[in-house]
Every structure is written in C-alpha cells, then in structure tokens.
Amino acid sequence: MKKPLLLAVLILLTYTICFGKPLTDGTPFGTGRSFYQQRLDDKDAVYFTPDKYSIKADGKTDISDALQQAIKDVKDKNNFGVLFIPEGKYLISKTIYVPRAVRLIGYGKTRPVIILAKNSPGFQVADSTDKGKAKYMFWFINNLSKPGEGVYDAGASTFYSALSNINLKIEDGNPVAVALRTHYAQHSFIAHADIDAGKGKAGMFDVGNEMEDVRFFNGDYGIYTTKPSPGWQFMMVDTYFEGQRKAAIRTQEAGLTIVRMSVKNVPTVIEINPNYHEKLFMEDSRFDHVSGPAIVISNEDNAFNQISLRNVDCRDVKVLASYRRSGTKTVGAGSVYKVKNFIYGLQIDNLTADPVYKITKDLQPLQVFPAPAKKDIPDFPAINTWVNLQTLGAKGDGETDDTKAIQDAIDKYPAIYVPQGMYRITETLKLKSNTVLIGLNPIATQILLKDNTPAFGGFGGPKPMVETSKGGANIITGIGISSGRINPRAVACKWMSGENSYMNDVKFLGGHGGMNKPGEQAGPGLYKSNDSDMWDTQYWSLWITDGGGGTFKNIWSANTYATAGAYVSNTSTPGRIYALSVEHHVRNEVRFNKVSNWKVYALQLEEESRESTECQPLELENCSDMTFANLYMFRVIRVIKPYPYSIRSWNNKNVELLNVHNYSQIKYTTTDPLYDIGTNITVRPWEFARLLINSSSAVSEQPVQGNIKKLALGFEFANSLCTDSKGNVYFSEARMRRIYKWDAAANTINLLADYPWEPLSLACDKNDNLLVVFKYVPKPGYLVDGKPEEFKNPPDAAGTSFSGWGNSGFGSLVYSINPDNPDETIELLKKEAMPTGKTVYQALYPAHRWRDYHDFNTVSVNKPTECFVAPDGVTIIPVVYDLARSSALVAAYPGKPVYTTDEYDKRTVQLAVSPEGYLGDLKYFAERGEFDSAVDDKGNVYIADGQVYKYNNNGKQIGVIKVPERPTSLVFSRDGKTLYVTGHNALYAVAIN
C-alpha cells in the first residue's frame, strides 16, 4: 500500500474508533465508513449471496444478470422491499434497472463496491436520443419493462427507491458512463456512498428528492441534472466533490438545497445551463481551489433565478460568481474568505418594501481556512447493539396486536431494528429518552392502527400513536406510520425530543403514495377518493411540541384524513427540517405556532384538486428567528378554483423566506404568496429570492394610487379583457362560465352570457363581434357521421405538461356573438387553412404560454396550418394548443410589434407580425410576465406581474401602477386614456396621463 493512502486509512480508522463517525472530507475513494457493518435479519428481504445466486464478489466475475434478477425477485415477492448486498467487489458490464420502492443496501465491515468493467459494451458513444446523452450503471425506473418494451424512467410517482452504503466505480474505457440516473420522487435517496466516475461522464444524472453522505470523485461532472420529476427541490446534506473536469454540478431548475457541501479542485462548483434558471440555496459549505467562477448564473434579473449562499468558506476562489448575459463578475475577497451572505435575485427587505432585483453580499477575508461545519445528524448506536423486534415477539403481520411486544422492547432495549412488516398497535408507544427505532423502508415497515381502535376513537384530545420523550435523544428512521381512516383522536407521532434527536425517512400514510403487495387489498388508512366524509377527521400527523426539536429529514406527510401534515408548536429548541413534503390535506398543510430558532430547508407543499382546493398551505403565528429556504408551494393542474394566500402570517419577528416558488401549471396559482394579518399587508410576487417578515405595526388599508377607480366587483376570477370600437369592455369568469360587458356609455356592468361552454379567452373582430375561445368536451353517446366526436391535440401540445393529466381529448373551439343580441347570434367559427398571400387585419394569439419543456421560443414562431376566421373575414385565430390554457388573447397586427409572455420563465418577448399573421423575429423584452400585457399609443408596454409594470419600447422599466389586487388581464380603451384592469374580484379603470 502506498504511504499516502496508508496514512489516510490510518487517520480514518483512528477517527472512526474515537468518534464513531466517518471522516469524509478529503479522504480517498472507498474510505468512507460502512454504515451497516453487519448483516441484518429480515425474512421479507432478499440477500445477494452466493447461496442464492451464482455470483462471486471478486471484482472479476460479471454479476450483471444475477444482480438484475435479485432486484426483480424483490419486486416480484412483495412489490417493495430491500435487497441486501454484502461487502465485496462486484463487476457489472450493463445497465442495472431499479424499479419503484426497491432499495439496495450494502452491509459489512467495508462497503460493497460495484464496478463498471473496462470498455463495457455501449458505454463508449453517446446515445443522441437519450435525455442524458449517456449510459448508466444504475437507472432508477418506475417499473421493470417486459421484453420488447422501452424503459420507463422514474417519475413523479416513483417512491421509496434507494441505494445506501454501496460504493460505485467506473473503470476506464467508458467515456459516456454515468453511475446513477435518479429521477425519482419522495422517499427516494442515495446515501453513504462514494462514487468515482473516473474518465466517465458523471456520477449522477437527473437528481431526485434527497441525498446524504455521498462523495463524488472525478468525471466531467459530479452531477448534471434537469428539473426533478415532480418539480420539487433537491436536498443535499453532507456531500463532497473532488476532481471534476468541468464542474461539480451542472444544473437547470433542480432547486438545489445544499447544506454542508465540500468541493475541491474543480473549475466550477455550480454551472447553471444557458437560458435556464436555478433556485440555489447553499449553507455551511466549502470551496477549495476553484480555478474558474464558483457559480455561473444565466437568467439575470429574472424572478425565477434565486441564488442564496450562507456561510460558505472559500480558499483560492478568485471569482465567486459570473453572469452569462452581462459578462460581469462578483470577485472574491482575497485568497481565503467567508461568504457570510450572498443573495442574487428579487428581494423584498420588509413587508412594506417594493421588490427589487439586486445583489446582497457580505464577503469577509479570513486568515485561515476554517474546518468543515459540524454535522447535525446524530450517529446511530453501534449496530451490534441493535435488537431485532421480531425476535422479541412482535409479529408484524398486520393483524396481531403487537403493542405489548413493542413497548416491552422499548422499555428494555435502547436500539431496536424493525424488520419489514405491518405492526398493529392499540395503544400509545412511549419512547424512553434514548430509544432508537430503525427500519429500512417506510412503505414496507409500518406501525398502524386499524379503524375504530377504541383508544383512538370517540371524542377527546390528541392521542399519539408514537410519543417521544421530552428532551430525549430519540431516533426514528425508515418507518411508515398509518393512523387509519376512522380514529378521530389519532396523532401519528408526538415529538418532544431535544436538539440532538432525529427523524428520517418517515412516511405518514393515509393519502397518496400507498402500495400493496401482489394480490393484496388496500390496507387501513390508504387513500380512497370516495371517502371525503372521512377526510380531515383526525388530529395532525406529525406534532412537534413542548420544547421538541432536532433534525427532521426526508419526511412525507400526505394523510388526507389528518387535519394537517405537520404542526409545530410551543418550542424554542433549535430544529432543522431537510426535505419535508406535505400534501393533500383539506384545511391545512403545515402550521408553526410559537416557534423560534428553526431552519426549514426544502419544504414542499401541494394542493390536490379533490381534497385541497380550499386548503391553507402554510400558517405562521407568533414565530421568531426562523429561516425558510427553497420553499415550494404548488397547486396541481386539476385545481379549478382560486385561493387567496399561500402563507398566512400573524405577529412574526425576524422570519426570513429565501428562494420562494409559488406556482401552478394552470391559472389558479394561489393569488398571493403571503398575507400578514396583523398589518393587513399582501406580498404579491409569486417568485422571489428573499423576504423578511416583521409584523410590527398595524395598517388599516394598503395604499392605492388615486387614478384607479373600481368599476365593478364580486367576481371569482375575472380575466380576458378586450374592448370594441365603441369603448365597451368585455371579460369573463371561466369556471362560472360567465361573460360580462362593461357599457362605456352607460357606465354599467351587464351579464352578457352564461352559456354551458367554458370561456377561455375573448377578443373582438373589426366589426365588434365578440369572439370566444371555449373548451368543448365531447359528450358520451353523441355521434357525428355515425362516430363519436373526437379531438386530438395539435402537435405543439408535446412541449407542455398541461397537455397531460386530463388536458387532452377536448377541443379549443371558437364561437362568435353579436353583443347586442348574443343569445340569437351565437355561431361556431370554422377552421380554414391559414391565408396565403393575403393580408389579415389581426391575428389573435395566446397572450401567454406555459411551456415547461422550454420550447416557448420555437413554438411561438411556428407557422400554424389552420385558423379560425372571424365573421369580419379579416380576423383570424391560428390553431395552436396553447389556446387551451391561455386566459387572454393578444392582437397581432401586421407590421407592428406584438408582445406575449413566456409564462413558465416569467419573461415578456417581442415578436414581428407578417402580413399573413405569422409571428417571427423573437426578442427578449422584459424579465417579467404572467397572463397579459397591453401597449399604449406611444408604444409603452404595460405588463401584469403582481402589479402593473410600465416599460418603454426599449425594454426599460419606467413606472409601476400599484393596483388594489393582483392583475389578471389588461386592455386599453381605444382612445388610450384608460387602462382597464381585472383583478380576481373586480374590474378597475386606471386613468393614464
């Protein structure tokens, strides 16, 4: 053994013996401590051993087929579970596919190493049709394919998959090899692994969910990635990168939430792909010898682009950040320095401050390079002290009452290993101060209640299934907790443990994400869509209270039967949350009440249509000294009603929100991200890098400009403004299927139409006929020429996820009416070929497009082949898929510029209009935009984006109109003196000088 390696190993062994934890910063590949140092017995697991499979762990014998068969055996046996791989060296030469809910876990005094053999077939030339342009050692997928089928990549419903305590190595001769492809969702992770990409491409492509204690060596990249499959953040804790040839991480839209990352000897730490944004949060990290810019930032001055660094120590890092478009740089502060604070993006300094794009930075020179930040994830007890719960009498069969066996084990033993099984209880399990419960897969290992368990039924206060000790050092990991459907007093877990406690990889069942064994019926507490009378009838799933704190990582709380997914109350004990996903509750997702000294990283909230249309995502009351970093709040594509606020706030002090993402794929995004009740202040920007909340003084009304007049109110979601030559104004309420007319002469509002066709967007032709793009859903049994009506999406539907999830199979059609006699003049417009060699008066296009496959620039200048022709004969509506989602139309006049919004990237663009009505010559105009914009007679452009922002025709902001509520659509009167604005609830007129 060479002396440097021997020395490194001796240091590692000494550190492990003394402190019981791995020394991971700067030691060679393969020297990370084995997390599971001996075999764990589990009758439901599969063991990759020579007595079961024809293999040799010698690093020379190819075990690819045997390993794939072992993974299939786990899936076939129970649909979910664990494959244990003992220490040794395992050679593979082809891609190994890992389906949903299968976990590969290594064990032994040293971690097993899986090696991609030199010059493995197919790993030499990139596949141009592959998303990652690579070939993978391990590819996490949703389901194993049958012979002749394609590969089903992991996606938004790929849960519970993992690889832990296994090292991966790519040998020479595999230039397009990537060790892992991991595009999975909740409760999936990579942990306790060294990955040496060698001369291959990367350690990982396409991140998902969470990662802990992973070290990346060599490769072009440690990680290169697109957006995680559900669109959530990616949480990285305690990671290390060294020797990458291009960048440690190349990314776009990954929501990188990074705590304690060390990077050494690389050209760049984080490279954001050109023309893409990133929501990057990084804390307590180290950059050491970075030859180029540490961070490469692309979409400057765009609200989606949010970069936040806290306590990052730098040595030999001359350029902290570079900016692609402007070519500018943020330089470092000497040879050794600390990035105490760096924020780039849209910032709101307090509740009353205007949002401003800026850089906030605090770089402090240092004399010496500090040691790595201390880890906050506690060590597990030595594995030889763990006792197996089933050997102590617990059955885990889902029927036997295991309460006494489990409680007896808790009372006698501090460290309890819980093999796979369903452990039914009938009373509260009370943990001692040092109790540790260890499972390895939260869908395969569950503690559960059957419906109408007496101790948890009837009226009464909250009764926990599992209760931790006050101030204790408890650990619960790898276990699901199911409170059933009909147990109204149930709280899944009441947590009162102290700062050094730990909950990890825990699933609170009762909502989406349940799985059954082959041939098994749905178990207790699993979500039923026809069960709405049982929803919201229990207490909270996770209740952290009475001084509870500690570290909470990789938790999914989606029990629709519970009042809220998580409730944190009455504690000032420091707490850290790393990747908490809370979804599908009826009234509340998460509440914090009288909480201080907490940091919440990668909190993700989702409202589903059936359960959560009226759910309050987040409530903060009487909290102080808290930080939320990379906070994502989402409403699913099926939601059809607006909701006012994502966050309700009362009496909070020094609560900081960093990197906030408030969004939906449809127009019913939560109206405003935050409402502070005490001060009566609403925060408008959906996307921002920073907001500081101090609820200090009461304000009766938010100020409104004096030139704004409210014309009519009482609407649910007013939008799609247009005007005719007489000055009349039209707008609609889509869900309520109503169209209104504001009569400019009489100054009155009229309900013009309430037909059974859902209006999507409105416009007027040259002769003042009102044109209505509407959603037409074929009715069952209705035949046309003897065949059922059928609508197929236009080809351009392929670039947006809105076309999925039920948004196909209907027609986006157009009818016209004469507003003076609407009921008698309604007429469906016919599709015709786009005009050739003929000049149109106007072409009406979607005012905004949601293109989350980033093809907005190309789709916007496509040449449609068909159009609807208005009664005037010279107004056309080209047939494009985005008519199905757009809530407004924009008039494109030949020879004049037209402005439309790239809604997904919050950008307004300028396009030229040909005589036939085609669009072209796309230019970026302003890094703002939502649903609509309008142009005055001087060529100034008004963009609705929380407020109404005014730009000159060179794309420079020259003003802002502060309207009483979030604007949804804009239109100018024909004389240009009045700008009409719809908010969700009212129609306004703004006098323009």
Side-chain angles (χ1 to χ4, degrees):
M1 182 179 287
K2 294 181 179 179
K3 289 184 178 180
L5 180 59
L6 176 61
L7 179 62
V9 172
L10 289 173
I11 292 172
L12 175 70
L13 290 173
T14 301
Y15 191 90
T16 300
I17 292 168
C18 294
F19 299 101
K21 63 178 71 174
L23 177 66
T24 59
D25 190 8
T27 59
F29 168 82
T31 52
R33 180 176 65 94
S34 177
F35 197 80
Y36 303 102
Q37 296 200 356
Q38 65 186 45
R39 173 180 167 131
L40 296 168
D41 290 328
D42 184 333
K43 60 182 174 54
D44 283 330
V46 173
Y47 292 83
F48 192 58
T49 51
D51 60 319
K52 299 287 177 63
Y53 300 94
S54 180
I55 58 171
K56 290 183 180 179
D58 57 5
K60 300 176 182 178
T61 306
D62 193 330
I63 55 88
S64 303
D65 292 339
L67 181 56
Q68 188 66 72
Q69 182 60 50
I71 292 169
K72 184 176 184 299
D73 290 345
V74 176
K75 192 68 177 173
D76 290 346
K77 183 177 183 179
N78 285 326
N79 196 29
F80 42 73
V82 174
L83 173 64
F84 284 112
I85 300 177
E87 62 183 298
K89 294 183 178 180
Y90 300 89
L91 192 72
I92 64 171
S93 60
K94 60 177 70 171
T95 300
I96 306 299
Y97 299 97
V98 185
R100 176 173 58 169
V102 172
R103 293 186 168 186
L104 278 57
I105 298 178
Y107 67 91
K109 292 297 183 183
T110 61
R111 296 177 190 166
V113 182
I114 300 178
I115 303 163
L116 180 65
K118 291 182 179 180
N119 305 307
S120 290
F123 287 83
Q124 288 72 45
V125 180
D127 180 357
S128 61
T129 65
D130 177 70
K131 182 182 177 185
K133 306 296 186 290
K135 187 106 182 237
Y136 312 98
M137 287 180 65
F138 286 86
W139 187 344
F140 285 84
I141 58 175
N142 200 48
N143 290 301
L144 292 171
S145 303
K146 296 178 181 178
E149 292 182 340
V151 177
Y152 300 99
D153 190 19
S157 61
T158 307
F159 311 129
Y160 315 114
S161 304
L163 181 146
S164 181
N165 206 47
I166 297 171
N167 294 338
L168 305 176
K169 184 176 179 60
I170 297 173
E171 296 279 17
D172 292 349
N174 300 294
V176 300
V178 174
L180 296 162
R181 179 166 173 170
T182 59
H183 211 218
Y184 40 46
Q186 284 99 324
H187 280 294
S188 300
F189 60 86
I190 306 298
H192 315 304
D194 284 4
I195 302 172
D196 185 356
K199 297 178 181 178
K201 187 168 184 176
M204 179 182 291
F205 170 63
D206 261 2
V207 297
N209 196 48
E210 189 259 340
M211 172 192 297
E212 177 201 350
D213 184 27
V214 179
R215 302 194 300 162
F216 295 88
F217 298 88
N218 305 310
D220 289 340
Y221 306 97
I223 298 171
Y224 69 114
T225 184
T226 62
K227 180 172 57 177
S229 57
W232 311 151
Q233 320 90 315
F234 176 58
M235 187 76 235
M236 297 170 54
V237 184
D238 298 319
T239 56
Y240 178 82
F241 294 76
E242 181 179 349
Q244 283 74 43
R245 294 182 289 275
K246 294 183 178 179
I249 300 177
R250 193 187 94 197
T251 183
Q252 62 189 50
E253 303 182 271
L256 296 175
T257 314
I258 301 172
V259 177
R260 297 186 300 275
M261 170 185 179
S262 291
V263 185
K264 186 175 182 179
N265 297 332
V266 297
T268 291
V269 178
I270 307 288
E271 178 188 355
I272 303 171
N273 284 337
N275 207 35
Y276 281 90
H277 66 261
E278 184 54 83
K279 299 178 190 303
L280 170 65
F281 175 84
M282 184 179 293
E283 186 173 67
D284 294 342
S285 296
R286 310 173 91 218
F287 301 163
D288 192 5
H289 294 90
V290 179
S291 59
I295 314 291
V296 179
I297 297 170
S298 292
N299 287 3
E300 299 173 48
D301 294 335
N302 184 288
F304 275 115
N305 211 45
Q306 302 161 9
I307 311 297
S308 301
L309 309 181
R310 291 283 168 89
N311 294 322
V312 176
D313 296 324
C314 298
R315 179 169 63 184
D316 191 19
V317 183
K318 294 182 175 61
V319 178
L320 177 64
S322 68
Y323 308 86
R324 288 188 190 276
R325 291 183 183 168
S326 65
T328 57
K329 298 177 180 179
T330 297
V331 298
S335 59
V336 182
Y337 60 94
K338 179 185 289 289
V339 182
K340 189 71 176 174
N341 186 34
F342 176 87
I343 302 175
Y344 175 82
L346 187 65
Q347 301 183 47
I348 310 168
D349 291 336
N350 56 65
L351 287 170
T352 60
D354 290 332
V356 176
Y357 290 101
K358 63 180 180 179
I359 296 176
T360 299
K361 64 178 180 178
D362 180 3
L363 311 185
Q364 301 177 353
L366 301 175
Q367 296 300 312
V368 296
F369 194 42
K374 183 181 178 181
K375 299 169 71 171
D376 57 15
I377 296 175
D379 294 323
F380 285 25
I383 197 168
N384 59 9
T385 68
W386 300 4
V387 295
N388 189 312
L389 183 62
Q390 291 189 0
T391 66
L392 300 176
K395 299 297 183 184
D397 58 13
E399 295 296 332
T400 303
D401 184 355
D402 283 325
T403 310
K404 187 177 187 305
I406 300 173
Q407 190 63 58
D408 286 349
I410 291 169
D411 293 341
K412 188 173 182 181
Y413 301 100
I416 302 168
Y417 165 57
V418 188
Q420 296 174 85
M422 304 292 162
Y423 299 87
R424 176 178 166 247
I425 64 170
T426 55
E427 259 296 346
T428 301
L429 300 175
K430 295 189 176 183
L431 308 191
K432 297 177 71 175
S433 63
N434 60 346
T435 301
V436 174
L437 299 178
I438 302 167
L440 295 177
N441 190 328
I443 196 64
T445 303
Q446 297 182 29
I447 298 170
L448 61 89
L449 292 179
K450 283 201 166 183
D451 286 345
N452 291 309
T453 298
F456 296 86
F459 174 80
K463 183 175 178 60
M465 295 173 61
V466 178
E467 180 178 283
T468 70
S469 62
K470 184 173 172 58
N474 299 115
I475 297 175
I476 300 178
T477 184
I479 295 173
I481 306 178
S482 174
S483 55
R485 297 162 53 249
I486 311 174
N487 293 296
R489 294 186 60 197
V491 169
C493 181
K494 182 180 180 182
W495 190 275
M496 298 177 291
S497 302
E499 182 178 0
N500 297 318
S501 62
Y502 182 40
M503 174 182 278
N504 174 56
D505 194 27
V506 169
K507 171 71 163 81
F508 294 98
L509 291 116
H512 300 254
M515 295 180 69
N516 302 317
K517 293 183 178 182
E520 185 179 63
Q521 298 297 313
L526 294 186
Y527 172 87
K528 297 177 177 63
S529 61
N530 61 351
D531 223 7
S532 57
D533 58 335
M534 293 294 117
W535 297 342
D536 189 24
T537 58
Q538 300 178 356
Y539 286 96
W540 326 279
S541 291
L542 174 60
W543 184 21
I544 304 166
T545 190
D546 196 13
T551 301
F552 302 83
K553 182 167 71 69
N554 190 20
I555 296 168
W556 186 14
S557 186
N559 180 3
T560 304
Y561 304 98
T563 292
Y567 177 38
V568 187
S569 65
N570 300 308
T571 182
S572 59
T573 302
R576 288 87 53 196
I577 290 176
Y578 298 131
L580 169 61
S581 175
V582 185
E583 306 173 315
H584 313 311
H585 295 85
V586 174
R587 287 184 297 118
N588 289 93
E589 300 290 5
V590 177
R591 287 183 62 202
F592 288 89
N593 181 22
K594 298 178 182 176
V595 177
S596 58
N597 305 316
W598 275 58
K599 293 183 176 181
V600 181
Y601 308 89
L603 172 60
Q604 173 261 315
L605 309 172
E606 177 187 276
E607 277 63 71
E608 181 54 80
S609 55
R610 288 185 59 117
E611 307 97 298
S612 316
T613 297
E614 297 179 347
C615 179
Q616 178 61 52
L618 179 60
E619 292 192 298
L620 307 174
E621 182 176 5
N622 298 311
C623 295
S624 63
D625 302 317
M626 293 185 68
T627 299
F628 291 81
N630 270 7
L631 170 62
Y632 280 30
M633 299 174 287
F634 174 63
R635 307 190 88 208
V636 304
I637 205 166
R638 296 169 290 278
V639 171
I640 60 171
K641 286 181 65 177
Y643 191 78
Y645 316 113
S646 290
I647 305 170
R648 293 202 307 172
S649 165
W650 291 267
N651 306 319
N652 297 300
K653 306 290 184 184
N654 194 34
V655 175
E656 189 175 34
L657 309 182
L658 298 172
N659 295 9
V660 170
H661 188 25
N662 186 87
Y663 70 115
S664 176
Q665 296 149 325
I666 41 89
K667 60 188 174 185
Y668 298 112
T669 298
T670 303
T671 306
D672 294 309
L674 183 140
Y675 176 54
D676 191 74
I677 293 175
T679 57
N680 192 33
I681 291 174
T682 302
V683 174
R684 297 276 181 87
W686 279 340
E687 307 281 334
F688 53 85
R690 180 178 184 265
L691 167 67
L692 183 64
I693 303 173
N694 278 301
S695 308
S696 55
S697 59
V699 177
S700 58
E701 291 289 339
Q702 294 191 69
V704 176
Q705 294 181 197
N707 61 335
I708 299 176
K709 181 180 180 181
K710 185 183 292 184
L711 300 180
L713 72 160
F715 311 107
E716 178 190 84
F717 193 97
N719 63 3
S720 198
L721 279 166
C722 67
T723 185
D724 64 18
S725 65
K726 303 179 185 69
N728 300 312
V729 177
Y730 305 90
F731 62 96
S732 66
E733 281 181 294
R735 190 182 76 88
M736 302 306 295
R737 305 183 189 187
R738 295 169 179 156
I739 299 172
Y740 297 92
K741 174 184 177 181
W742 171 258
D743 190 308
N747 288 330
T748 58
I749 189 81
N750 303 301
L751 176 59
L752 187 70
D754 64 347
Y755 305 142
W757 321 112
E758 181 182 338
L760 301 174
S761 51
L762 310 178
C764 290
D765 73 5
K766 193 175 184 180
N767 296 334
D768 290 343
N769 294 296
L770 183 65
L771 311 177
V772 182
V773 179
F774 70 99
K775 181 178 180 178
Y776 180 81
V777 180
K779 298 298 183 285
Y782 180 69
L783 305 178
V784 176
D785 297 328
K787 297 180 181 179
E789 274 190 303
E790 185 180 34
F791 291 91
K792 294 182 179 180
N793 286 337
D796 58 348
T800 170
S801 63
F802 181 77
S803 63
W805 300 103
N807 289 309
S808 59
F810 63 85
S812 299
L813 307 181
V814 186
Y815 69 78
S816 68
I817 55 175
N818 180 341
D820 294 330
N821 185 19
D823 300 342
E824 303 297 330
T825 59
I826 184 170
E827 182 179 357
L828 185 68
L829 301 189
K830 295 180 179 179
K831 289 182 185 178
E832 299 182 12
M834 284 287 287
T836 303
K838 177 183 176 183
T839 299
V840 301
Y841 169 66
Q842 62 178 340
L844 301 169
Y845 283 94
H848 58 100
R849 299 177 189 244
W850 175 278
R851 308 294 303 191
D852 46 6
Y853 291 14
H854 285 279
D855 63 353
F856 176 91
N857 290 0
T858 55
V859 167
S860 295
V861 298
N862 280 350
K863 290 191 173 183
T865 58
E866 293 183 303
C867 63
F868 298 97
V869 180
D872 66 0
V874 289
T875 294
I876 63 170
I877 302 177
V879 175
V880 297
Y881 179 77
D882 293 297
L883 291 172
R885 187 186 176 282
S886 178
S887 60
L889 295 171
V890 62
Y893 296 99
K896 295 182 179 180
V898 65
Y899 300 88
T900 66
T901 298
D902 179 349
E903 187 189 349
Y904 187 77
D905 280 333
K906 289 190 75 69
R907 177 182 296 128
T908 298
V909 304
Q910 181 191 84
L911 296 129
V913 187
S914 75
E916 298 92 345
Y918 295 117
L919 304 181
D921 192 23
L922 184 147
K923 298 176 181 176
Y924 290 176
F925 180 76
E927 296 295 312
R928 269 199 173 97
E930 287 178 3
F931 295 152
D932 208 0
S933 60
V935 182
D936 68 15
D937 53 8
K938 298 182 180 64
N940 298 313
V941 182
Y942 295 71
I943 298 174
D945 191 341
Q947 303 288 1
V948 179
Y949 292 90
K950 181 180 179 181
Y951 289 79
N952 66 18
N953 57 15
N954 292 319
K956 180 181 179 181
Q957 184 183 331
I958 56 175
V960 60
I961 301 172
K962 294 186 176 181
V963 290
E965 57 177 317
R966 174 174 231 98
T968 57
S969 62
L970 311 173
V971 72
F972 272 99
S973 60
R974 291 301 171 99
D975 62 10
K977 295 181 180 179
T978 302
L979 176 66
Y980 292 100
V981 180
T982 52
H984 284 213
N985 307 120
L987 170 68
Y988 302 91
V990 183
I992 302 296
N993 295 328

